[in-house]
Each structure stands twice: as structure tokens, then as C-alpha cells.
Amino acid sequence: MAEVTHMNGLESCFQRGNNSLKVPMSLFRNNCGRLIARVKENANVSTAGSFIVLQGGVEIPFNDTDICWPFRQESFFQWCFGVEEPGCYGALDLANGTSILFVPRLPAEYAIWEGKLHSLEDFRKRYGVDETYYTDEIAKILKLKQATLLLTLSGQNSDSGLQTKEAVFDGINQFKVDNKILYSEICECRVIKSLQEIEVLEYVIKISSDAHKSVMHTVKPGVAEFQAEAAFMHYVYSVGGCRHVSYTCICGSGHNASILHYGHAGAPNNKVINDGDMCLFDMGGNYCGYAADITCTFPANGKFTEDQKMIYNAVLAARDAVMNAAKPNVAWTDMHLIANKTMLASLKSGGLLVGDVDEMIKVGLNEIFQPHGLGHFMGLDVHDVGGYLPGHPERPSAPGLRKLRTGRILQAGMVLTIEPGCYFIDCLLDAAMKNPDQSKFIVADELKRFRGWGGVRIEDDVLITETGVKNLTDVPRTVEEIEKWMAARKN
């Protein structure tokens, strides 16, 4: 942890290496301020004696061994406190805005294996909180502060379906606890990024963009998919200070490019890339907890065939249509449909489809070629919270739209991915060819040569501004840009 002088004195910052971004702890303190202000507006909360209480992440053992998985902080706790250590709690006093950090009381032998035991004052200065205590003092301290109501976090993540981990500590039964109010309020705060958060996102997206460009210079026929993954991870860490990536890297080549979440344990990026393969690489670094999520698709040999160019340009046209249309007060569902219609129209122009595009949408042909949503919120989680909350549109049921991770109306300050795709997935194509309502639009003889071909996805990370979209991603995107960039490879 580095320290840097600001106008208001000495402030602790997160930084990895001298050339990486310095993230001031005021980012997290300001997040807490935004949350407190929002919760205080809730008519069901009395300010006096009310505290927000959050529990941080804990270390998770690797099965039954004495080693643990690499620790990553729980996202809500990271958003409020920016704390790197496991086993902590935090509290916010709604009455006066005081921030309190509770850290584990570690045994003396910790210093032998893990390093110096830091004092409570060390932690207070490091994380810029008002007060620090030990976790075995939580109930006592809250009693001394005359806490009467604790707002704890409980809610279901609309992407995973999993529940948040609600704060529990010895003595919590001495207080009135409400676990209904906080979740939607803190999620709403996380949906709209502060200027400080945007700066961190711009940094990690720029590092991830540069890493993708470096990988494009690395890849050629004969290279294994996992070597591309390794090159990306090395770049974001060694150059950008990103110890973690935000999700398992997807490095699909050839047919594997049609597997939406390729790279998992059963298909661990282990194919050797062939001449003629299209490579679909979906990878994003993670810095100070904040995520990037970028997909580049390109020919392994650096030169598009006519078929590859046709499919790629269909997806690029869909991406461009959304870039030109997205702005505050438009519905994300409408953006998805714009992307789908644009892509289907391009496939029709390319001779793969026939008929009326609107009729194709009605029978769900859009979901055959793009079986995922247009994109998602991004922030501390790569699929960030806030997609479906009370007071906002519910999940649609129509084909294609039902896969959307949010149906919200766009607002300035949102950060999302725009990621249209076109894939040739055997099980979906087989079903479509057996469905007379869908098969009548498909030119069967043309489709045959795309079987086993893979797919294309173009994914950019964007900020919704007051007037439109700012693309934070910086990679070659047109066919001409990609071919020019890859022609500069050193063989």
C-alpha cells in the first residue's frame, strides 16, 4: 500500500507498482457517503441509533487442505471500505456518518508466518476510516454507541440466483435487525458509478485492451489456446498490476468459439489453434476489485476469409447500431432488439437467411444465432448488481430478451458491456431446422458450411454519458484494423 500527499493531507492509496493507478481511499469513503445519504431518505429508517453493518469476505480453504484459495474481497464490502484483508466487518453510523472498521484480533505467531501485526491505528490510517476496533468487540462498541437498529445485507443476485452473505456476529441478537431495506439501496448506488470509480474502470479497461492487442500479436497457428490465456494474464499483472482476472478467460478457437463460456474445467482452453480458425478471446483484468470484460474475435492467421468477414461484419454492424442509439432514457431491451435486427439483416444480405427480419424476431430466430443478452452492468463484479430491482422493468419473457441481465432504462453514469454475437451452435441449429416457423428463414445449403465454424463476439465496455456512449475499450475492431494490426506481428 503506497501513500501519496493530497491537498487535504496524507491519504492512503491502493497501488501496484510505481506505474499503475493510485486509487485513493476517498473513493470508498465517498461511496459510503452516497449510501448513507440514500438510506437516510428511506422513510422506513430512523436516523438516530441506526447503523449499516457489513461483513467482509473470509478465506476459503482448498477442500480439506491447509491452503486457501486466493482471497478476493466480498464486493459490497469492497465498495464501502476497500479493505484487502479477510475476516473484517464494517459499520456506518447513519446519524453522523462515522465509518467503523472491525479487524480480526490475530495471535502473536501470525507475525512469524504472515508478517508484522498491524495496530488498529495502522488500519485506521490505511483505509481512511474514522474508527477501528477488533471483531470480538462489535457488539460492545455498537452498544456504547447506542445502536438500536442494524441494517444488514440480504438479497438475491439476479445473475447467479445466490444470496448475499448477511452479517452475523456474537451478540447481534441484542439489537433489532432489518435485512430487507439495505440490499436494493446499496445496489442502486453501485449501478451509478462515481467519477472516482470511472477512473479506475478506465484504467483496468485500458490495461485489458492493451493486453488483448498484445495477445493478437502472440497468436498464430500452432499456438495453444492456454498460451493466449497465459499471455493475457501475464500482461495485465506484470504491466498493469492486476493480480486477478475478473472471470475465467475464454480462449475459444475454431468450433470452441461457439461455446459461450468455454475455458471451464471441462474445456480448459487446451486446443491447439489451427490455420483458418477464428479466435474468440473474452478476457478482462481486475484492479482494486474493479472489472474489465472485453472480447476480441479475429482470424488466427491474420487474414479474414470472405465467410469470416461476412459474419464478423454482421456482428460489428450490430455493435455500431447500439453505440449510435444508446443514451439516457432509452430501454436496454430496445438496444438488444436493435442489435438482433441489425445482425439478422446482415445475415440476410449475406445469403444465409431469407424473409422478413421482424418475422424472424417473432419466431425467436434471433436467439438461435445469439443465445445471450446484449450485455450487462459492470463494476466491482463483471456481471454487476442492479439488473433487476424493485421499481425497474422485470425480466422480459420474449426469445433473446429473456436472456438479458437487465431490462433497465439507461442513465448517465452506468457502465455496461455491449457484446452482440453470432454463433453456430449445433444443438440450437438442429432445433431450428426442425422448427418449420424458424427453418423457413434459413438457407440450408448456405448454413452447412458454417457448421463447426465457431462464432463471433465483439464486446466493448462503455460508459453512458449525458448525451450517448463513451467507449472505454481501445482495440482494433474493423476487419481492416485487425488485419493491419496482426500484419505487424513478429514471426
Side-chain angles (χ1 to χ4, degrees):
M1 185 69 67
E3 288 194 335
V4 51
T5 302
H6 291 260
M7 291 179 64
N8 60 349
L10 201 63
E11 182 175 3
S12 184
C13 292
F14 174 97
Q15 188 178 24
R16 291 292 182 265
N18 294 329
N19 298 318
S20 66
L21 180 69
K22 296 174 181 176
V23 183
M25 289 298 111
S26 59
L27 181 155
F28 305 104
R29 189 177 183 93
N30 290 339
N31 284 348
C32 289
R34 292 164 57 202
L35 176 60
I36 290 170
R38 184 177 181 91
V39 173
K40 286 171 72 172
E41 292 177 358
N42 191 306
N44 295 317
V45 178
S46 174
T47 300
S50 295
F51 286 74
I52 293 168
V53 179
L54 297 173
Q55 182 174 353
V58 297
E59 285 198 304
I60 301 173
F62 179 74
N63 299 326
D64 62 346
T65 73
D66 60 350
I67 61 170
C68 293
W69 291 101
F71 177 73
R72 286 176 61 179
Q73 187 58 266
E74 194 278 330
S75 296
F76 289 103
F77 197 80
Q78 177 73 10
W79 187 84
C80 283
F81 295 101
V83 171
E84 296 189 68
E85 290 84 1
C88 298
Y89 287 73
L92 302 174
D93 187 339
L94 293 189
N96 56 26
T98 298
S99 58
I100 308 166
L101 178 64
F102 298 93
V103 299
R105 194 190 297 268
L106 299 172
E109 58 266 27
Y110 177 96
I112 300 171
W113 302 99
E114 308 289 347
K116 176 186 174 183
L117 287 170
H118 294 289
S119 69
L120 292 175
E121 181 62 11
D122 291 336
F123 283 110
R124 189 189 69 79
K125 290 180 178 178
R126 179 177 181 181
Y127 293 118
V129 294
D130 294 309
E131 300 175 19
T132 46
Y133 305 96
Y134 291 112
T135 52
D136 56 22
E137 302 178 293
I138 298 175
K140 181 183 76 173
I141 296 302
L142 292 177
K143 276 289 185 183
L144 288 173
K145 293 181 175 293
Q146 299 182 316
T148 55
L149 173 65
L150 306 185
L151 302 177
T152 59
L153 193 62
S154 179
Q156 185 182 55
N157 185 295
S158 59
D159 289 307
S160 67
L162 301 177
Q163 290 288 128
T164 57
K165 184 178 180 180
E166 187 177 354
V168 177
F169 56 87
D170 288 343
I172 193 172
N173 57 354
Q174 301 174 47
F175 306 91
K176 181 182 177 182
V177 176
D178 184 293
N179 66 0
K180 306 295 184 186
I181 291 173
L182 184 59
Y183 185 76
S184 61
E185 303 289 15
I186 194 170
C187 286
E188 288 291 355
C189 286
R190 283 180 58 181
V191 165
I192 304 300
K193 274 46 179 187
S194 69
L195 293 177
Q196 288 175 302
E197 289 183 289
I198 291 167
E199 183 181 13
V200 183
L201 286 164
E202 287 177 327
Y203 173 80
V204 71
I205 294 165
K206 177 62 166 64
I207 288 295
S208 299
S209 296
D210 290 345
H212 270 278
K213 290 161 71 174
S214 178
V215 169
M216 291 171 74
H217 276 175
T218 300
V219 167
K220 58 184 177 182
V223 169
E225 295 164 339
F226 68 82
Q227 290 176 299
E229 176 183 19
F232 180 88
M233 296 173 74
H234 175 72
Y235 189 101
V236 295
Y237 196 5
S238 64
V239 176
C242 301
R243 188 177 198 184
H244 303 290
V245 288
S246 294
Y247 50 95
T248 301
C249 293
I250 300 169
C251 296
S253 63
H255 174 69
N256 294 338
S258 68
I259 303 171
L260 299 184
H261 283 172
Y262 181 72
H264 58 82
N269 296 323
N270 59 347
K271 173 181 169 294
V272 174
I273 299 168
N274 297 317
D275 192 15
D277 279 352
M278 284 287 274
C279 297
L280 187 159
F281 290 173
D282 185 340
M283 305 179 284
N286 190 286
Y287 189 79
C288 196
Y290 284 86
D293 184 3
I294 298 168
T295 305
C296 294
T297 307
F298 55 92
N301 61 17
K303 192 71 176 175
F304 285 84
T305 66
E306 289 304 309
D307 279 348
Q308 290 171 347
K309 190 181 299 184
M310 188 265 284
I311 301 300
Y312 186 88
N313 281 334
V315 178
L316 184 63
R319 194 277 317 240
D320 291 346
V322 177
M323 286 285 188
N324 292 329
K327 60 183 178 180
N329 300 317
V330 304
W332 191 239
T333 48
D334 290 342
M335 297 301 94
H336 179 92
L337 288 174
I338 284 175
N340 281 179
K341 289 179 180 181
T342 302
M343 186 180 72
L344 292 175
S346 296
L347 296 182
K348 178 181 174 180
S349 297
L352 192 57
L353 302 176
V354 293
D356 183 78
V357 170
D358 288 333
E359 292 299 317
M360 296 179 197
I361 295 286
K362 286 181 181 178
V363 299
L365 197 65
N366 49 330
E367 195 174 277
I368 299 299
F369 290 98
Q370 185 190 309
H372 60 75
L374 174 63
H376 49 80
F377 287 136
M378 195 180 72
L380 280 171
D381 295 316
V382 67
H383 297 156
D384 216 13
V385 295
Y388 295 102
L389 291 173
H392 297 287
E394 296 181 356
R395 189 183 298 275
S397 58
L401 294 174
R402 62 188 175 184
K403 301 296 181 69
L404 281 170
R405 296 184 185 274
T406 185
R408 288 179 63 143
I409 307 301
L410 297 181
Q411 295 174 258
M414 290 177 170
V415 173
L416 305 99
T417 64
I418 294 175
E419 50 177 304
C422 179
Y423 315 88
F424 298 93
I425 302 171
D426 285 333
C427 61
L428 294 180
L429 295 174
D430 291 342
M433 294 308 296
K434 293 175 183 176
N435 182 338
D437 292 333
Q438 294 177 338
S439 62
K440 66 183 181 182
F441 296 108
I442 300 173
V443 182
D445 288 341
E446 293 292 311
L447 178 64
K448 286 178 183 177
R449 72 174 186 271
F450 289 96
R451 290 279 193 162
W453 189 91
V456 170
R457 180 163 63 253
I458 299 173
E459 181 177 18
D460 289 320
D461 303 335
V462 305
L463 168 69
I464 305 301
T465 68
E466 296 290 346
T467 56
V469 166
K470 179 181 180 182
N471 191 354
L472 306 181
T473 309
D474 181 18
V475 295
R477 280 305 189 207
T478 67
V479 166
E480 294 74 22
E481 288 169 348
I482 291 169
E483 290 184 344
K484 181 179 179 181
W485 180 257
M486 296 193 70
R489 289 177 297 182
K490 295 178 180 179
N491 294 318

